[in-house]
Amino acid sequence: MPSMKYFAFLLLSCAGLAQAPSATLTVTGDLPMPLSLTLANLAAMPRQSVHIPNPDGSMAMYEGVSLYDVLKRAGVPFGGELRGKALSNYVLAKASDGYQVIFTPGEIDPSFGNQTILVADHRDGNPLSGNQGSFRLVVPNDKEGARSVRILETLEFVRLRK
């Protein structure tokens, strides 16, 4: 009969295998500076928070970095560059479960549509985890929340017209 030490060793070994790899958000596409952002990278950027209603009527507070700041760091054209052909570009947000949504730079740019969209890594003061993933896209002004993407892993910038 195996000893208790064997079971303890087996339990600790399996626990090590179950640890998730370090969380990374990839910003890719037709960009001058593609990014791979870790939780530490996001924590070092300017932070914002937004409140959105829960189904029970209470409010949830999400904290993170604006999508605008993340995309600007990667070189997405905003401000004076957001004219003509640049208005046909879009950002495809992809979750690890295959869920995908799009945003246009015009709705993200503070000088244009000024929609607050947050790349969140905290909810109610705690790091995101479980079915939320490490990163979540939060869109507080969307009425149904369908573009709030949990388990976010990739932001892909696409230029339709070169």
Side-chain angles (χ1 to χ4, degrees):
M1 182 166 189
S3 71
M4 290 302 288
K5 287 182 182 178
Y6 171 78
F7 285 119
F9 171 76
L10 185 60
L11 183 61
L12 289 173
S13 296
C14 290
L17 291 175
Q19 290 178 349
S22 62
T24 303
L25 175 62
T26 304
V27 184
T28 186
D30 193 1
L31 294 166
M33 296 167 283
L35 303 172
S36 287
L37 297 172
T38 64
L39 290 168
N41 297 139
L42 214 63
M45 295 176 71
R47 308 285 290 175
Q48 293 186 21
S49 63
V50 296
H51 291 83
I52 61 169
N54 288 316
D56 66 2
S58 65
M59 296 298 280
M61 182 183 69
Y62 284 92
E63 301 168 57
V65 175
S66 74
L67 179 59
Y68 170 80
D69 286 340
V70 170
L71 296 175
K72 187 172 171 127
R73 179 178 275 196
V76 170
F78 287 116
E81 297 177 87
L82 195 52
R83 304 280 183 264
K85 293 178 184 178
L87 290 172
S88 65
N89 301 336
Y90 65 91
V91 176
L92 177 62
K94 301 177 188 178
S96 65
D97 65 357
Y99 193 71
Q100 299 181 13
V101 299
I102 63 168
F103 298 90
T104 64
E107 69 186 308
I108 299 166
D109 189 326
S111 66
F112 217 84
N114 198 22
Q115 165 102 279
T116 299
I117 302 169
L118 197 66
V119 178
D121 56 1
H122 283 75
R123 178 184 170 157
D124 298 327
N126 298 309
L128 294 178
S129 64
N131 70 352
Q132 295 286 315
S134 297
F135 303 101
R136 178 178 180 152
L137 213 52
V138 178
V139 190
N141 292 333
D142 278 8
K143 298 298 182 211
E144 295 297 323
R147 292 192 303 169
S148 286
V149 180
R150 61 183 183 81
I151 53 178
L152 178 68
E153 66 179 13
T154 305
L155 297 168
E156 180 182 353
F157 180 70
V158 179
R159 291 182 195 266
L160 289 180
R161 297 175 60 199
K162 309 243 183 208

